[in-house]
């Protein structure tokens, strides 16, 4: 086990390093970051001088080395727009994004698993069809539409919930519901499918014939094995949410990482983009690592040869 | 404790039934199964209607979907003037929503299904190989996948469109290339689980080589998750196209997609709700059809379900 | 199994109800005005950035020497209580006795000199080029400062109150450094910045010791709400007091809503088309090696100008006033001469004339040249839709239009600043007359265009030197003749803001410079 963890840790570092390299060049690939920063009335000389001041006139390789040498000390440079350390801006937003991500995931699982299990147990019954329809609705519904509808009902008409910001606990309700419903819709399909696969296997019938009750069979035996694909997709979804859900953050003015990233990309505040991306890559890879480790606990037969 | 006895592991139900079925009766078997399943019927009916609409759409469209009627912008459903009836209302340039929905079926369905097929195929193969061979191959392949996942969608899109230029082909390319990782991880997970099962060992024991085992024994058992995922991804892809269109990175005029219609109507939801609601309904019904169809397909292919009627 | 689902759903419902029933933050008797800002908002170290929408905020926090009057008529005193033009190159400012920053640091001549020198020499400040007109700043005595310019500046007052004029406390800045200052900024304006989340929410509280007296409204909050429909919802829910732009289909509904009023005023911005008149600037000749712009021909350019129905385009934009000149109608320069006459503007739309001009350029009726139209999706209005409709109009007189609409930041990066714009590109610009002539001089080279007409150049130079208003306006009339004739830049319209605000609690009169800054926001009577 120890060797496994250590090896994965090393791989993680390498992957993040390579990803940061790729993104570094991606954002500088075409076009001129300085050009987006300056007023439209700047002439060519002024733009050239600004490029010099910010170090964008240096060759790309040199720029990357400078970035790298600072990044290993935790210095991701200064945000061009905010004149504060880029990583500081990212860290400020993390708490909000994590809060939203975990709450949405919780809602997602709480709704998805029971729904998926019931649909599998009562395959092709009315309840199964209903749940299939509901989950199709959940995946097809654009999140901005659901979010704005919730806002119109609960903020405008009922005056119950805040329409923007993260100022009070109640602000969390609508955004996490919006994300959670979408997540639940996707996960419940998968749960159902995974359960179906297992429920029809012989060893389940054997378990029933031994006299074990439905509940025990389903939860301790079937669901446990069905968890593998569920946990995989849950990990992926959570990873994306931790990077900040741009649409929901935008609709609800939630001060999360997604909004920061989009804004920074739009104004080409490159240092912030790099800092945020580094964090996103790190958390995603970490989650996949946790998921891979969980496989072994869920199904002891799995080995990494 | 959950154990499988040797007797059970050699049970016929865990051997791929497809292999034993005479080929020439396959198509009749498919049709028969389809007609027996309510889910299959609904699904195929919906999908057929959408595909038919996509093909003959322009012929039955009440208006030209790109015709702007600037005097009739933002009109609610039921509006009509000297240029005709606008049953579902008009958009910000006075174009008929119904006509645009019909026109949009073409590209949306094309984009949705093509990207999913591309992503799904790449992902399933990738995950199958990675999980099956394990070891160093698995490590490298999965780290590469991790790396790709770590690049935020939006950066990738902006960068790719910057180089290749935005448009339909770029759109499908991006959606396909960024979508495959999910399939690969799910399939790999299933493969890890499945390859340890006794019936696989049994297959080796009767002399089958690695590739045959991978393709004929493991793949059918892991593909059902991928199919369900794919069905769901069609909807997700259509919506992803909408986000791209909102940012101006999607298709260009005069191409119409449901995603573009959603993007156009996004800022006007408070009053001109019809601009987003009707394309949303179109997407939902299409997704429903695809999901039902996927469910039937999944049941049909799942060796654990077939043979039980 | 069913009970499990029901109980999980029930517990979720209970959890949410509990969250919702948390006591709302105690409502003090503090008057609070909340503005929905579209974002993003940059640093509060004001001179660093050129973005107007960030300066809306810094204007509350900082005083300048003098500043623009809200109704567009002249300038008002801020940190300087008096100012006079001593000679062609010298302006003298008299500061207020005993004026300090929020932290007590004195706002004296030394502080003023420090600020002006800083903004005109710091090369990493994006506004710096706008301040190089100053030659020297001289401290006459503790409360008197002389600003010496390199050349006579007819628009000096505008220049000296441009973005970057904000006065920062030198001692505090030197003590904490720029990074810390950006975290806790200090100014001398009527409001203090008490808390903020970067580019998200800024809370300003009234300052008792402001020389002009404590402002009427206790608290002003800038809340970033990026999504336009969410802004409308927030206003209707009573959680926001002013939104800067009401989408066209929502206007009727909002007009009918209780306690909310709609008000329209110019935004001080215009939509214009830049036309290609040469291929040397920018990267266009590299990116498209075989491309020869159809707009090289003046007849073609004028044809485009006459083919556009500016009134209809203004409608598509939502609320705008068709204009031919590149200046706002409320400035004297924007209302001088025949091209400012509404009758001329109305008659300008002339598709027949456009076709004739095309024929003169060698294109028979119906077979116009292919032209490329580049536009962003959404910058300050409905650029995408405006471009789409403009394309239709041009096709109606015979052009074959290739429309290219790009995501706004990609558009700025690749097309505008990259100099890859082809025949037409749609831009949004301000309309102040101080700088405009310089943009059309031979030595002014921008990535996406350069104009060089010697005689026109000469008139522009003279305008920049002519201090007498009447003489200057006469020169402007001539300048506009060249502008319209050459047709490199086609003005479409001056964009209006259609705003909605909480009229039951507040009295809001929009500024004529399109700025959403609220030093003078008042409570409604009664």
């Amino acid at each position: 086990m120890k060797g496994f963890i250590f090896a994965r840790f090393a791989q993680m570092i390498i992957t993040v390093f390579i990803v940061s390299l790729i993104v570094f060049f991606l954002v500088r690939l075409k076009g001129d970051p300085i050009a987006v920063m300056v007023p439209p009335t700047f002439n060519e000389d002024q733009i050239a001088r600004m490029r010099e001041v910010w170090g964008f006139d240096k060759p790309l390789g040199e720029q990357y080395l400078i970035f790298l040498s600072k990044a290993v000390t935790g210095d991701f440079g200064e945000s061009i727009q905010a004149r504060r350390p880029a990583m500081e801006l990212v860290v400020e937003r993390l708490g909000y994004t994590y809060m939203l991500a975990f709450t949405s995931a919780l809602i997602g699982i709480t709704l998805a698993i029971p729904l998926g299990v019931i649909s599998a147990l009562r395959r092709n019954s009315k309840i199964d069809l209903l749940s299939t329809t509901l989950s199709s609705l959940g995946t097809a519904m654009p999140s901005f539409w659901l979010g704005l509808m919730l806002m119109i009902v609960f903020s405008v008409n009922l005056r119950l919930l805040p329409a923007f910001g993260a100022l009070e606990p109640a602000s969390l309700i609508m955004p996490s519901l919006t994300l959670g419903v979408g997540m639940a819709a996707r996960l419940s399909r998968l749960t159902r499918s995974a359960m179906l696969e297992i429920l029809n296997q012989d060893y389940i019938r054997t378990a029933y014939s031994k006299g074990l009750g439905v509940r025990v069979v389903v939860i301790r035996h079937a669901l446990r094995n069905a968890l593998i694909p569920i946990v995989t997709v849950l990990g992926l979804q959570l990873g994306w949410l931790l990077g900040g859900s741009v649409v929901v953050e935008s609709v609800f003015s939630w001060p999360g990482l997604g909004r920061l990233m989009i804004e920074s990309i739009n104004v080409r505040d490159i240092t912030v983009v790099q800092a945020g991306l580094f964090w996103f890559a790190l958390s995603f890879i970490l989650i996949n690592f946790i998921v891979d480790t969980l496989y072994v606990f869920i199904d002891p037969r799995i080995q990494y040869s | 404790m959950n154990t499988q006895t040797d007797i059970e592991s050699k049970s016929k139900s865990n051997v791929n039934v497809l292999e034993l079925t005479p080929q020439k009766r396959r198509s009749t078997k498919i049709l028969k199964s389809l007609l027996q399943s309510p889910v299959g019927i609904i699904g195929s009916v919906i999908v057929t209607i959408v595909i038919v609409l996509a093909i003959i759409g322009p012929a039955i469209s009440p208006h030209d979907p790109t015709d702007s009627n600037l005097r009739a912008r933002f009109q609610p459903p039921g509006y009509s003037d000297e240029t005709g009836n606008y049953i579902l209302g008009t958009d910000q340039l006075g174009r008929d929503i119904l006509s645009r929905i019909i026109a949009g079926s073409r590209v949306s369905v094309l984009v949705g299904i093509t990207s999913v097929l591309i992503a799904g195929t790449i992902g399933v193969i990738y995950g199958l190989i990675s999980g099956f061979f394990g070891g160093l191959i698995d490590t490298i392949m999965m780290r590469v996948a991790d790396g790709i996942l770590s690049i935020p969608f939006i950066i990738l899109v902006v960068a790719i469109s910057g180089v290749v230029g935005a448009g339909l082909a770029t759109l499908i390319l991006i959606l396909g290339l960024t979508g495959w990782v999910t399939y690969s991880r799910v399939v790999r997970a299933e493969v890890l689980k499945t390859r340890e099962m006794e019936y696989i060992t049994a297959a080796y024991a009767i002399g089958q080589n690695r590739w045959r085992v991978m393709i004929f024994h493991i793949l059918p058992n892991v593909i059902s998750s991928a199919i369900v995922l794919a069905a769901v991804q069609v909807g997700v892809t259509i919506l992803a196209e909408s986000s791209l269109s909102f940012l101006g990175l999607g298709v260009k005029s005069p191409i119409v997609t449901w995603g573009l219609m959603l993007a156009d109507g996004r800022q006007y939801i408070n009053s001109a709700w019809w601009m987003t609601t009707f394309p949303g309904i179109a997407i939902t019904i299409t997704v429903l059809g695809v999901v039902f169809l996927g469910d039937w397909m999944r049941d049909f292919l799942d060796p654990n379900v077939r043979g039980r009627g | 199994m069913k009970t499990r689902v029901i109980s999980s759903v029930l517990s979720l419902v209970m959890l949410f109800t509990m969250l919702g029933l948390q006591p709302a933050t105690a409502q003090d008797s503090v008057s609070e005005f909340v503005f929905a800002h579209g974002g993003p908002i940059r640093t509060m170290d004001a001179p660093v950035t050129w973005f107007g929408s960030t300066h809306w905020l810094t204007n509350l926090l900082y005083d300048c020497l003098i500043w623009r009057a809200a109704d567009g008529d002249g300038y008002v005193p801020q940190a300087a209580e008096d100012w006079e033009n001593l000679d062609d190159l010298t302006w003298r400012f008299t500061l207020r006795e005993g004026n300090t920053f929020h932290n007590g640091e004195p706002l004296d001549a030394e502080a003023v000199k420090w600020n002006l020198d800083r903004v005109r020499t710091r090369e990493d400040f994006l506004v710096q080029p706008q301040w190089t007109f100053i030659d020297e700043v001289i401290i006459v005595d503790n409360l008197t400062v002389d600003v010496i310019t390199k050349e006579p500046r007819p628009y000096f007052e505008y220049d000296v109150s441009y973005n970057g004029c904000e006065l920062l406390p030198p001692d505090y800045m030197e003590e904490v450094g720029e990074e810390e200052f950006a975290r806790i900024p200090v100014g001398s304006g009527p409001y203090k910045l008490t808390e903020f989340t970067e580019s998200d929410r800024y809370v300003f509280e009234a300052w008792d010791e402001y020389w002009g007296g404590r402002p009427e409204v206790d608290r002003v909050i800038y809340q970033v709400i990026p999504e336009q429909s969410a802004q409308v919802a927030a206003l209707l829910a009573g959680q926001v007091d002013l939104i800067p732009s009401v989408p066209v289909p929502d206007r009727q509904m909002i007009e009918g809503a209780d306690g909310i009023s709609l008000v329209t005023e110019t935004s001080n911005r215009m939509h214009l088309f830049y036309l290609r008149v040469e291929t040397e600037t920018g990267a266009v000749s590299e990116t498209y090696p075989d491309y020869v712009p159809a707009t090289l021909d003046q007849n073609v350019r004028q044809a485009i100008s006459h083919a556009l129905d500016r009134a209809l385009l203004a409608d598509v934009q939502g609320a705008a006033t068709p204009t031919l000149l590149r200046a706002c109608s409320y400035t004297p320069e924007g209302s001088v001469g025949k091209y400012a006459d509404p009758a001329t503007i109305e008659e300008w739309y002339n598709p027949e004339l456009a076709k004739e001009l095309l024929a003169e350029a060698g294109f028979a009726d119906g077979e116009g040249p292919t032209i490329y139209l580049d536009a962003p999706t959404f910058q300050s209005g409905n650029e995408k839709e405006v471009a789409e409709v403009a394309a239709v109009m041009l096709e109606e007189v015979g052009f074959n239009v290739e429309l290219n609409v790009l995501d706004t930041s990609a558009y700025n990066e690749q097309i505008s600043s990259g100099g890859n714009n082809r025949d037409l590109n749609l831009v949004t610009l301000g309309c102040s007359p101080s700088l405009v002539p310089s943009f059309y001089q031979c030595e002014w080279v921008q990535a996406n265009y350069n104009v060089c007409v010697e005689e026109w150049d000469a008139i522009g130079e003279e305008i920049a030197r002519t201090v007498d208003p009447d003489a200057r306006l006469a020169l402007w009339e001539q300048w506009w003749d060249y502008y319209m004739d050459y047709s490199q830049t086609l003005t479409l319209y001056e964009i209006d803001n259609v705003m909605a605000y909480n009229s039951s609690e507040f009295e809001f009169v929009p500024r004529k410079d399109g700025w959403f800054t609220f030093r003078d926001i008042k409570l409604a009577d009664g």
Side-chain angles (χ1 to χ4, degrees):
Chain A
M1 204 62 205
K2 244 198 197 160
F4 170 66
I5 292 181
F6 183 73
R8 280 302 287 266
F9 190 73
Q11 293 164 19
M12 201 159 77
I13 304 291
I14 297 177
T15 315
V16 174
F17 171 81
I18 295 181
V19 168
S20 77
L21 181 68
I22 294 178
V23 171
F24 185 91
F25 288 104
L26 268 183
V27 294
R28 290 172 176 72
L29 202 58
K30 197 173 184 202
D32 185 6
I34 284 291
V36 179
M37 264 169 56
V38 301
T41 49
F42 260 35
N43 67 17
E44 289 201 330
D45 293 326
Q46 292 164 338
I47 295 182
R49 215 208 9 193
M50 200 53 68
R51 205 174 284 134
E52 236 176 284
V53 168
W54 284 96
F56 283 108
D57 58 332
K58 299 201 182 74
L60 274 187
E62 195 181 325
Q63 287 187 43
Y64 182 65
L65 285 174
I66 296 176
F67 161 69
L68 204 59
S69 57
K70 288 203 194 146
V72 292
T73 60
D75 175 9
F76 281 82
E78 193 180 73
S79 156
I80 302 174
Q81 301 294 340
R83 295 304 169 112
R84 290 163 54 201
M87 200 39 114
E88 192 178 298
L89 291 174
V90 169
V91 168
E92 265 176 10
R93 304 273 184 136
L94 281 181
Y96 294 108
T97 297
Y98 280 18
M99 211 193 306
L100 187 57
F102 284 111
T103 314
S104 311
L106 197 65
I107 296 178
I109 308 175
T110 314
L111 290 175
I113 301 213
L115 209 60
V117 168
I118 295 181
S119 306
L121 286 176
R122 311 233 190 288
R123 185 170 140 255
N124 285 337
S125 69
K126 286 209 182 71
I127 213 174
D128 181 22
L129 279 165
L130 182 66
S131 93
T132 304
T133 311
L134 282 179
S135 43
S136 300
L137 198 74
T139 59
M141 199 183 308
S143 43
F144 74 81
W145 193 90
L146 178 60
L148 281 164
M149 285 300 132
L150 284 176
M151 197 189 293
I152 291 176
V153 169
F154 290 101
S155 298
V156 179
N157 294 338
L158 296 178
R159 306 249 163 161
L160 272 180
L161 294 175
F164 55 81
L167 303 162
E168 41 183 299
S171 314
L172 188 54
I173 299 180
M174 290 195 293
S176 56
L177 256 182
T178 308
L179 284 173
V181 161
M183 211 170 168
R186 287 186 270 278
L187 279 176
S188 72
R189 304 289 318 145
L190 208 59
T191 307
R192 177 186 177 278
S193 164
M195 285 296 290
L196 278 178
E197 222 184 293
I198 291 172
L199 283 175
N200 288 301
Q201 289 194 7
D202 282 349
Y203 68 85
I204 295 294
R205 297 186 161 249
T206 314
Y208 276 125
S209 68
K210 284 189 190 160
L212 295 170
V214 172
R215 182 176 260 176
V216 173
V217 173
V218 166
I219 296 177
R220 283 191 33 200
H221 298 289
L223 186 57
R224 193 166 157 204
N225 284 300
L227 274 181
I228 302 262
I230 295 173
V231 155
T232 310
V233 173
L234 183 62
L236 290 170
Q237 303 262 25
L238 193 59
W240 275 310
L241 286 182
L242 289 182
S245 160
V246 175
V247 175
V248 166
E249 284 180 17
S250 179
V251 169
F252 291 101
S253 313
W254 188 265
L257 200 51
R259 244 177 71 196
L260 179 67
M261 284 294 102
I262 278 284
E263 268 179 25
S264 304
I265 293 173
N266 280 341
V267 302
R268 301 294 190 270
D269 195 347
I270 301 220
T271 44
V272 178
V273 172
Q274 280 160 192
L277 167 96
F278 174 83
W279 198 270
F280 177 61
L282 201 63
S283 34
F284 217 124
I285 293 173
L286 199 63
I287 287 188
N288 281 342
F289 165 58
I290 294 177
V291 166
D292 280 346
T293 314
L294 276 177
Y295 289 160
V296 177
F297 288 107
I298 294 174
D299 190 344
R301 287 172 300 180
I302 290 182
Q303 306 158 25
Y304 296 106
S305 48
Chain B
M1 237 7 229
N2 175 21
T3 51
Q4 270 184 285
T5 64
D6 280 321
I7 304 165
E8 277 140 14
S9 70
K10 289 189 184 120
S11 160
K12 246 205 268 174
S13 63
N14 281 330
V15 173
N16 190 359
V17 183
L18 274 174
E19 246 199 337
L20 307 175
T21 309
Q23 303 281 43
K24 57 181 152 89
R25 307 296 273 161
R26 191 90 73 90
S27 50
T28 337
K29 263 200 146 42
I30 294 179
L31 202 59
K32 212 171 147 200
S33 160
L34 187 60
L35 289 173
Q36 281 174 352
S37 152
V39 162
I41 295 178
I42 302 178
S44 38
V45 164
I46 293 180
V47 173
T48 313
I49 292 180
V50 174
I51 293 182
V52 163
L53 207 61
I55 297 177
I56 67 159
I60 57 167
S61 186
H63 297 263
D64 181 340
T66 59
D67 233 359
S68 351
N69 180 0
L70 295 168
R71 314 286 160 200
R73 301 163 63 211
F74 298 118
Q75 293 304 323
Y79 172 77
S80 67
D81 66 13
E82 66 273 3
T83 55
N85 291 317
Y86 297 88
I87 307 178
L88 297 182
T90 65
D91 70 2
Q92 78 276 18
L93 291 181
R95 299 176 295 205
D96 180 33
I97 299 275
L98 178 59
S99 307
R100 286 174 74 74
I101 288 184
I102 295 174
S105 61
R106 245 182 205 190
V107 179
S108 298
V109 169
L110 179 70
V111 169
I113 295 188
T114 316
S115 335
V116 165
L117 283 178
I118 295 178
T121 311
I122 300 177
V124 168
I125 295 177
Y126 198 91
L128 191 61
I129 294 178
S130 180
F132 185 75
F133 288 105
L136 189 62
I137 294 180
D138 180 34
T139 303
I140 295 181
M141 288 179 88
M142 275 302 114
R143 296 297 81 75
V144 168
D146 278 352
I148 292 182
L149 275 178
S150 307
I151 303 179
F153 183 60
I154 213 72
I155 290 188
L156 210 55
V157 169
V158 169
I160 295 183
S161 322
V163 176
V164 179
L168 194 56
T170 313
L171 186 65
I172 296 180
L173 190 74
I174 293 178
L175 292 172
L177 288 182
T178 52
W180 66 264
V181 188
T182 314
Y183 299 96
S184 73
R185 277 197 70 78
V186 171
V187 166
R188 170 185 174 269
E190 298 260 27
V191 170
L192 286 178
K193 187 177 69 176
T194 310
R195 76 175 185 195
E196 305 300 333
M197 290 194 175
E198 280 82 352
Y199 67 86
I200 298 298
T201 324
Y204 280 123
I206 62 176
Q208 309 225 321
N209 74 24
R210 290 216 293 195
W211 291 94
R212 282 187 73 90
V213 170
M214 186 173 81
I215 296 174
F216 291 110
H217 294 283
I218 301 212
L219 181 58
N221 281 298
V222 303
I223 203 153
S224 51
S225 291
I227 291 178
V228 167
L229 202 57
V232 166
Q233 287 293 97
V234 170
V236 171
T237 307
I238 295 181
L239 291 179
E241 187 259 305
S242 174
S243 299
L244 291 180
S245 296
F246 186 66
L247 297 171
L249 298 165
V251 291
K252 302 276 158 230
S253 291
I255 301 180
V256 185
T257 65
W258 293 335
L260 183 67
M261 295 177 73
L262 283 178
D264 279 346
R266 183 164 157 172
Q267 21 177 346
Y268 307 115
I269 276 191
N270 284 289
S271 311
W273 52 268
W274 52 92
M275 287 179 67
T276 45
T277 308
F278 294 121
I281 292 178
I283 296 176
T284 307
I285 295 179
T286 307
V287 167
L288 200 63
V290 172
V291 166
F292 276 160
L293 202 58
D295 274 354
W296 165 77
M297 210 185 302
R298 184 210 157 276
D299 286 350
F300 182 75
L301 290 176
D302 187 344
N304 296 313
V305 173
R306 264 176 62 77
R308 297 193 187 279
Chain C
M1 195 46 52
K2 258 194 202 151
T3 42
R4 271 202 143 237
V5 177
I6 295 177
S7 57
S8 359
V9 174
L10 270 179
S11 31
L12 269 176
V13 172
M14 257 173 40
L15 173 69
F16 281 149
T17 324
M18 269 170 23
L19 283 178
L21 287 178
Q22 292 279 330
T25 35
Q27 204 53 276
D28 355 42
S29 56
V30 163
S31 55
E32 187 178 279
F33 180 79
V34 183
F35 171 69
H37 192 293
I41 300 178
R42 329 275 174 179
T43 177
M44 291 289 114
D45 182 352
V48 169
T49 179
W50 64 272
F51 279 91
S53 61
T54 298
H55 284 268
W56 298 343
L57 285 83
T58 59
N59 182 54
L60 289 183
L61 182 55
Y62 304 102
D63 258 0
C64 293
L65 286 170
I66 60 176
W67 215 58
R68 307 186 295 274
D71 59 4
D73 189 16
Y75 294 82
V76 296
Q78 284 193 350
E81 65 182 0
D82 208 3
W83 64 103
E84 59 175 311
N85 188 358
L86 294 185
D87 60 51
D88 255 10
L89 303 176
T90 314
W91 286 75
R92 171 158 296 179
F93 291 91
T94 312
L95 306 174
R96 294 170 199 284
E97 176 105 40
N99 196 9
T100 68
F101 292 95
H102 298 147
N103 61 357
E105 188 181 323
L107 204 171
D108 53 16
E110 261 196 60
V112 170
K113 178 172 164 70
W114 181 89
N115 274 289
L116 289 178
D117 284 341
R118 180 179 189 243
V119 77
R120 68 191 180 88
T121 53
R122 281 288 292 268
E123 297 217 320
D124 58 324
F125 283 3
L126 290 166
V127 293
Q128 187 256 350
Q130 243 60 61
W131 288 88
T132 52
F133 69 91
I134 296 179
D135 188 31
E136 208 190 332
V137 180
I138 300 179
I139 298 177
V140 175
D141 62 49
N142 198 35
L143 293 178
T144 317
V145 180
D146 278 355
V147 175
I148 320 283
T149 61
K150 291 176 184 160
E151 290 178 341
R153 303 288 298 191
Y155 297 102
F156 177 82
E157 282 160 327
Y158 175 84
D159 295 333
V160 86
S161 50
Y162 188 75
N163 298 342
C165 64
E166 293 86 357
L167 299 170
L168 279 55
D171 293 342
Y172 175 67
M173 175 70 91
E174 249 139 63
E175 188 190 312
V176 301
E178 286 185 4
E179 198 178 294
E180 185 63 26
F181 186 87
R183 287 190 198 104
I184 309 182
V186 168
S188 64
Y191 284 93
K192 301 195 290 191
L193 182 60
T194 47
E195 61 170 280
F196 73 99
T197 320
E198 192 83 33
S199 199
D200 176 53
R201 182 178 166 89
Y202 294 75
V203 179
F204 291 89
E205 310 255 358
W207 185 39
D208 290 317
E209 282 113 64
Y210 186 60
W211 61 263
R214 183 194 165 92
E216 198 172 309
V217 172
D218 300 310
R219 201 181 283 150
V220 172
I221 297 181
Y222 281 82
Q223 171 69 49
V224 174
I225 302 182
E227 193 88 11
Q228 199 167 40
S229 10
Q231 286 187 0
V232 174
L235 180 71
L236 292 171
Q239 297 174 15
V240 140
D241 298 302
L242 172 66
I243 60 177
S245 171
V246 181
V248 172
D250 296 337
R251 284 175 196 168
Q252 217 171 0
M253 167 194 45
I254 290 197
E255 264 202 295
D258 275 329
I260 299 183
S261 298
L262 220 55
V263 62
T264 306
E265 186 54 85
T266 173
S267 70
N268 215 46
R269 279 190 318 265
M270 323 186 102
H271 269 161
L272 310 98
F273 276 123
Y274 276 169
L275 273 55
R276 268 281 167 195
V277 296
E278 40 69 40
T279 49
E280 288 92 47
T281 62
V284 71
S285 47
E286 287 159 37
T287 318
Y288 307 103
D290 301 317
Y291 163 68
V292 176
T295 44
L296 289 181
D297 185 336
Q298 188 166 4
N299 283 321
V300 171
R301 298 200 297 271
Q302 291 186 348
I304 294 177
S305 189
H306 287 285
L308 296 171
D309 181 355
R310 287 162 172 77
L312 185 50
L313 289 174
D315 230 17
V316 172
Q317 162 59 28
T321 314
T323 316
L324 291 174
L325 307 179
R326 186 177 166 171
C328 298
S329 43
Y330 75 81
T331 62
E333 295 80 357
S335 3
V336 74
K338 65 173 187 279
Y339 294 111
D341 182 358
T344 319
I345 300 175
E346 232 188 277
E347 285 152 29
W348 199 258
Y349 171 53
N350 193 338
E352 290 312 314
L353 177 55
K355 289 184 191 160
E356 274 172 42
L357 287 163
L358 272 183
E360 247 170 87
F363 298 100
D365 188 271
E367 277 190 41
T370 301
I371 53 175
Y372 297 87
L373 205 172
D374 301 313
T377 44
F378 189 95
Q379 191 159 13
S380 65
N382 299 321
E383 277 86 352
K384 173 161 105 67
E385 283 127 341
V386 169
E388 284 172 350
V389 174
V392 169
M393 289 172 182
L394 292 172
E395 296 207 319
E396 264 164 23
V397 302
F399 285 100
N400 175 28
V401 181
E402 293 276 334
L403 183 59
N404 178 31
V405 176
L406 271 190
D407 156 57
T408 306
S409 61
Y411 176 82
N412 285 332
E413 193 181 44
Q414 293 164 27
I415 306 272
S416 269
S417 331
N420 290 309
N421 51 312
R422 287 174 287 181
D423 299 89
L424 283 117
N425 80 325
L426 182 60
V427 291
T428 311
L429 293 167
C431 42
S432 65
S434 152
L435 295 170
V436 166
S438 56
F439 299 146
Y440 296 92
Q441 294 185 304
C442 299
E443 55 177 43
W444 185 275
V445 178
Q446 231 172 279
N448 53 354
Y449 78 98
N450 169 241
V451 170
C452 190
V453 177
E454 300 285 348
E455 307 90 44
W456 195 13
D457 212 310
I459 301 184
E461 258 182 56
E462 259 210 81
I463 290 181
R465 283 194 303 256
T466 309
V467 182
D468 169 47
D470 293 317
R472 200 169 64 236
L473 284 180
L475 286 169
W476 270 106
E477 266 200 74
Q478 292 180 42
W479 200 88
W480 289 127
D481 282 334
Y482 278 97
Y483 178 83
M484 294 305 300
D485 198 48
Y486 197 64
S487 295
Q488 180 273 343
T489 303
L490 303 181
T491 310
L492 294 180
Y493 43 74
E494 196 177 318
I495 304 173
D496 286 330
N497 281 329
V498 177
M499 307 156 263
Y501 71 100
N502 174 6
S503 45
S504 57
E505 263 183 72
F506 297 98
E507 191 188 299
F508 169 67
V509 176
R511 292 180 59 96
K512 278 209 159 66
D513 55 10
W515 276 47
F516 289 98
T517 186
F518 308 108
R519 287 171 165 242
D520 307 312
I521 186 79
K522 305 236 177 304
L523 298 169
D525 301 316

